Every structure is written in C-alpha cells, then in structure tokens.
Amino acid sequence: MELRRELATKAIGIVGSPRKSGNVDRLVQAVLDGAEEAGYETDKYHLNELSYSGCQGCNYCKSHENCKIDDDLSEVLEGIREADAVVFGSPIYFYLFSGQFKLMEDRMYSFVDAGFTSRLAPGKKAVIVTSQGNPDLTAFEKAANEFAGILKRLGFDVAEIIRMGGGGPPDAVMERKDLLDKARAAGKAL
C-alpha cells in the first residue's frame, strides 16, 4: 500500500447517468471511496454535464495518437489514458448503456491504432457499474458483458461488474447496503 502512495496511483470514475447523485453516481462514488482508502488519488466525470459529440468516423485517430475532436470529452479520454483504474458507470436504457455513455464509448475507438492494437498502457483495472429498473439482473447483462469485452480488447483487467436491479427510483441504492459495500470493496481491491 505504501508503494501506491509513492507512485500516485490514479483512479477515475465516469458517470454516464443524467441523474447526479443517482444510483449509478453513488455506486461509482463508493468504488472511488474504496480506491481512496487503498491509496489511490481519484477524480470523477459526469458525462451529462459535458458538451461533446460522438465519433465522426474520420479515422484521424488511426494515423494520430488521439481523437481529432477537441471538446469536453477530450479531458475524459486523457483521464482514461493516464489512469491506473477506471470505474465506468451507466444506467441501462432499452437494453443498452445510456446515450451519454455510448457517445463516449464510441470515441474510445481512438485508443486503437490502424492495426487495431490498443494504445493504452497494459494492466489498467476496470470496474463496471450498471443500474436498471428491472429487478432481473440477467435481463440486460449483455450490455455490461459486451462493454467488458471492449475493455479487455483495450488491455484492461475487468476486476468487477456491479449490477443493480430495481434501480428505477434515483435513490434506491441507499436501501442496498450490500451493493454499496460491494462497490467499496471493489475499489479497495483495485
């Protein structure tokens, strides 16, 4: 643990929910709180508060180290590039991650070079957090599982997927100490 402090290990959280202080935001924060306890420096981005666009399919990133678009998402992408661990959080809307999250996910294409090799340093840790109204966790597990595949392709070690069912009310997670504890433990284990 002392070594982590000396190296200023960094963990960031990315919240793809429009609900600030909602279920996804609180779970992402719980992971970050655990990471702080383990010695990480942390930061968090709320995608809904940023102004950005999706991938334009221009392939600029295949001959350059980054995305051609310079907007608020550029800082988030740089944060992912520099972080040792990333907590990705999104609600599930119509079987998929939110639109805010999907736009960011598409821009992560800039992390892949022309030979489809990841430009990210290997060994980054990831935690994925989802919340859905449906209490059946298997109903929409495909969204997080597919995103985990993308992260693995980019060289991440997906340490945990934390899924919340019955997350319609924005503060439902406050009644789920088990999930908040699980999220904090995932952060401590990064």
Side-chain angles (χ1 to χ4, degrees), residues 6 17 48 50 61 64 81 90-91 106 115-116 128 130 146 154 156 166-167 176:
E6 289 175 22
S17 174
N48 201 52
L50 305 179
C61 62
H64 296 79
R81 192 180 293 276
S90 179
D106 286 351
F116 292 96
I128 301 170
T130 67
E146 287 182 354
L154 290 173
F156 278 89
R176 297 292 310 273

Side-chain angles (χ1 to χ4, degrees), residues 37-109:
E37 289 177 37
Y40 281 80
E41 292 179 11
T42 64
D43 200 2
K44 184 168 64 172
Y45 300 95
H46 290 91
L47 296 178
N48 201 52
E49 295 178 351
L50 305 179
S51 178
Y52 59 98
S53 63
C55 177
Q56 301 298 299
C58 67
N59 283 326
Y60 176 88
C61 62
K62 300 307 151 229
S63 59
H64 296 79
E65 290 294 314
N66 58 346
C67 181
K68 182 178 184 176
I69 302 169
D70 186 15
D71 57 16
D72 290 353
L73 195 62
S74 300
E75 182 181 337
V76 178
L77 295 174
E78 188 59 27
I80 294 170
R81 192 180 293 276
E82 293 175 357
D84 300 289
V86 182
V87 185
F88 296 94
S90 179
I92 304 294
Y93 294 159
F94 290 105
Y95 293 81
L96 302 171
F97 285 168
S98 69
Q100 294 90 329
F101 194 93
K102 183 64 174 130
L103 287 176
M104 182 217 48
E105 180 182 338
D106 286 351
R107 292 270 298 276
M108 288 173 64
Y109 181 60

Side-chain angles (χ1 to χ4, degrees), residues 23 130-137 163-168 172-173 176 179:
N23 299 317
T130 67
S131 176
Q132 62 191 48
N134 188 328
D136 178 6
L137 292 179
R163 304 171 200 271
M164 179 181 176
V173 75
R176 297 292 310 273
L179 277 180

